[in-house]
Structure formats: C-alpha cells, structure tokens
Amino acid sequence: MTPDTLATQLLTCTRRYTGLTPSGNPQLGNLIGAIRPAIADADSTETVVAIVDLHALTVEHDARQLAERTLRFATVILAAGLDTRQAPLYAQSHVSAHTGLHYLLEAATHYGEAHRMIQFKEKSAKQETVRLALLTYPVLMASDILLYDTDEVPVGEDQRQHVELARDIAIRFNRTYGDVFTVPKVVLPEVAARIMDLTDPTRKMGKTNAGGAGVIFLLDRPDEIRKKISRAVTDSRNSVAYDPDNQPGVSNLLSIAAALTGTDPELIAGDFAGYGALKSGVTDIVVEALRPLQVRYAELSADPTTVRGILADGAHRVAERADRTLNRARTAIGLLPA
Ligand code: TYM
C-alpha cells in the first residue's frame, strides 16, 4: 500500500466501538453478537473494545469478584483473537471521561426515554430494589459510544434499542448545542443476532440465565457443550427447517451453526437428516469453534500481568480522544472552561 492510499484509508476509516459487561460468564451470544464482528473488521476499521465494568454495578453485584471478572472478560476477548495493536481494549472505569460525559448526557435525555427501555422494564421487574443506575445505564452506554466519534456499534439484537437511544441523544444534543457528536448506527450480525437459550428458545441466551443449562459459555468443556446441546429443546415435527416462529429451538441451533461457519441457516438445514444429527453436528461445530479460543485462554490466563498491561495501554491510548470529546461537550453545553 502506498503512503497515499494509506492516508486516504485512514481519513475515511469507519470508527467502531463495542463493549461487554463483566457480569456472569462470557457466552456464545457475546462471541457472535459482539466479539467476532469487532475482531473481523479490526484491520479495515478503527475499532475500540471496552470491558464496561461500571455497567456491572447496575444490578446487585459481588464486589469481591468484579475485578477478577473484568480481567476474565478481557482475557477471553484477547483469546478470541483481538489484535490490540490495531484495536485498543480497555476497562471503562479506567477512563474517567465516561462518567464525565454521562452526566452531561443525562441532562439531554428525558426520563420517559430511559424508562421505556425494554431491558430496564425486564430487569427492574425481577428485582425487589432497583438501583437508579439501572435506569440511567443506557445513558452511560451512550456516553461510551459518543466519546469516540463512533460510526458503527456492533451488538446483538438485545442492545439495538440502547444504540438507537444513543443516536437520539446525539442528534438532540447536536441540534440544541451545536455539532459535537458523530451520530452512530447499530450493526447487527447477519445471522444469529439473537441467540436463544437452549432450554427455552423463547428467551435470549444470557450470561446470567438461571442455572446456565441453556447457555453455552465460551469456557465450557466439550463434554459440557455436548450435554447442553443434546438436551436442547426442539419440537415434535422431526423436520430440520429454519422456521423461527414455528420451530424456535431447531432454528436456534441452525443459526448457531450457520453463524459459526459463515453460512446461511436455511441452506445448512438440508445437511442434517434429523434432530439427532442436527444436535451432534452443531456440537462439533461449536466445540471446534471454541477450541482455539480455549487453548489461547489457558495460556493468557496464566499471565494476568500481561493482560493488565494491555488494558492499561488501551486506556492510555483512548483517553485523549475521550477527553477531547468531553471538553467539546462541556464547552457546547455552556460550562465555564477550567
Ligand atoms: P452485554 O454484556 O450483555 O453483551 C455483550 C454483547 O453480546 C451481545 N449478546 C448477544 N448477541 C446475540 N445473541 C445473544 N443471546 C446475546 N447476548 C448478548 C450483546 O448484544 C452485546 O453486543 N450494555 C451492553 C454493553 C455496552 C455496550 C456499550 C455495547 C456498554 N456500553 C457500548 C456497545 C457499545 C451489554 O450489557 O452487553
């Protein structure tokens, strides 16, 4: 590549940002919805990835485990292949501009907008006491995204509404105070934007789903994966077809296989003669897809100092842009410069 084409590419480079909350344990949905899309395009985009540890404080959490979980999530993302020479990886709480911008954005967000968020409704309904941070969390997420002049946010379907809120906040802020923020857009995986729980294909596969029997965790052993998939809920038709409305369990397994092999769920349905063949085929695909990640994880987790060094370097590299955006927002909203 000539210096000229390199310069043009840098000038036109799309900025991508994604985050993972270090609660529970990383699962297949996180890999397909966020980690893989971030890694796949890291050399053609300017990608930033964060372990958004402050988001883990929105529901009851174990303070003794949070730091260790943050490190574990970072290690998993590195093990999945993120090249941090291209794409910085950092812990959200290490960059103070996130909370600085959060407050300014709260002043540009309406209570009704935050209250309308589906995740807030679902999570708050399950709790006796609801932390205020759970209500305002999508505004912190908007702050994560907007600090880095982000064009695209690769996420799973469950986060689409939050990214749309970030977009609305950016547009309103710009209209009221002047052009401060890039307006981001959501990027969903083409296949398997919403992987479902294996034991209940009407609900999302999630890091903290009770029991974890329907969740494939990225660090599950092959025998655990085999057991979970063999017990996955299907239906009584015994016809392998991609039909999410009528055959949600079977379609979910097909989506997982298609996403991991880069194919189409409708196309690969014909590869499996019945549910037994489908389950064993999907098991092999998942086990093979996770094997290199798990091998690399075992190596990296033996060296937490290196992982902490990578996070510190990432925070250092992103902080300058974040501070610049925060200062622009502070000035635009009318605060006296310090
Ligand atoms: P989190 O930590 O719950 O999930 C991390 C990413 O994984 C995706 N995901 C899924 N995708 C497909 N199928 C599933 N079953 C599935 N489960 C999870 C999520 O959509 C997400 O992309 N609020 C966010 C983290 C966040 C963030 C951000 C993301 C904070 N700030 C800024 C993007 C940009 C969250 O809790 O995701």
Side-chain angles (χ1 to χ4, degrees):
M1 192 181 299
T2 66
D4 272 358
T5 47
L6 179 63
T8 317
Q9 197 184 43
L10 286 175
L11 278 175
T12 55
C13 211
T14 302
R15 294 210 172 87
R16 285 196 154 190
Y17 185 95
T18 205
L20 285 95
T21 307
S23 54
N25 287 309
Q27 44 89 12
L28 199 59
N30 304 138
L31 184 71
I32 290 172
I35 302 174
R36 279 189 154 204
I39 291 173
D41 294 321
D43 52 359
S44 58
T45 61
E46 251 184 68
T47 298
V48 174
V49 183
I51 309 299
V52 286
D53 47 358
L54 296 172
H55 287 275
L57 308 181
T58 55
V59 291
E60 209 175 306
H61 75 287
D62 185 343
R64 290 161 307 180
Q65 286 191 13
L66 181 55
E68 195 268 326
R69 278 192 199 285
T70 301
L71 213 51
R72 187 182 318 155
F73 271 72
T75 310
V76 163
I77 291 172
L78 294 170
L82 185 74
D83 180 352
T84 52
R85 287 167 307 183
Q86 289 176 324
L89 173 71
Y90 71 100
Q92 179 195 34
S93 66
H94 294 174
V95 178
S96 62
H98 287 255
T99 45
L101 184 61
H102 180 195
Y103 185 75
L104 302 189
L105 296 185
E106 277 191 0
T109 310
H110 303 158
Y111 171 75
E113 285 176 312
H115 202 257
R116 215 173 31 235
M117 293 293 114
I118 296 165
Q119 269 207 358
F120 173 72
K121 288 188 186 160
E122 285 177 355
K123 288 192 177 172
S124 60
K126 285 191 211 144
Q127 286 159 38
E128 238 169 74
T129 50
V130 178
R131 295 186 179 181
L132 190 54
L134 185 65
L135 178 68
T136 61
Y137 135 104
V139 188
L140 179 59
M141 180 162 159
S143 150
D144 304 337
I145 296 167
L146 299 184
L147 276 175
Y148 300 98
D149 303 318
T150 304
D151 301 298
E152 296 182 349
V153 188
V155 286
E157 170 65 41
D158 61 311
Q159 294 295 326
R160 176 210 285 266
Q161 197 187 27
H162 294 160
V163 180
E164 281 166 359
L165 178 66
R167 203 181 150 80
D168 291 345
I169 296 173
I171 291 171
R172 179 177 309 131
F173 196 102
N174 287 350
R175 208 173 39 220
T176 315
Y177 303 112
D179 236 357
V180 171
F181 299 121
T182 300
V183 178
K185 70 168 195 231
V186 69
V187 174
L188 299 179
E190 278 173 32
V191 176
R194 189 179 188 84
I195 294 183
M196 309 309 277
D197 189 288
L198 301 177
T199 56
D200 176 3
T202 61
R203 73 171 178 160
K204 187 192 71 163
M205 186 180 282
K207 291 179 255 169
T208 51
N209 286 9
V215 182
I216 298 173
F217 295 108
L218 299 179
L219 301 176
D220 275 349
R221 291 188 316 268
D223 61 309
E224 290 170 313
I225 296 172
R226 190 164 299 281
K227 191 155 120 196
K228 287 178 181 178
I229 295 181
S230 72
R231 293 185 181 165
V233 168
T234 51
D235 51 63
S236 54
R237 298 183 180 207
N238 209 25
S239 118
V240 182
Y242 184 70
D243 179 359
D245 289 338
N246 298 308
Q247 296 188 259
V250 169
S251 302
N252 191 38
L253 291 174
L254 286 170
S255 297
I256 291 172
L260 292 176
T261 52
T263 48
D264 185 283
E266 285 181 23
L267 269 181
I268 56 161
D271 293 353
F272 306 105
Y275 293 171
L278 174 66
K279 286 181 173 181
S280 85
V282 174
T283 302
D284 292 344
I285 289 170
V286 173
V287 167
E288 281 317 307
L290 296 185
R291 191 190 306 281
L293 182 156
Q294 295 187 350
V295 169
R296 187 83 186 103
Y297 181 86
E299 292 162 8
L300 281 166
S301 60
D303 186 8
T305 312
T306 297
V307 179
R308 290 184 71 156
I310 289 172
L311 289 176
D313 173 62
H316 179 72
R317 279 158 62 199
V318 301
E320 194 187 319
R321 179 185 291 276
D323 284 339
R324 239 186 294 136
T325 312
L326 174 59
N327 281 332
R328 265 195 337 258
R330 287 173 56 91
T331 307
I333 211 167
L335 297 171
L336 180 68

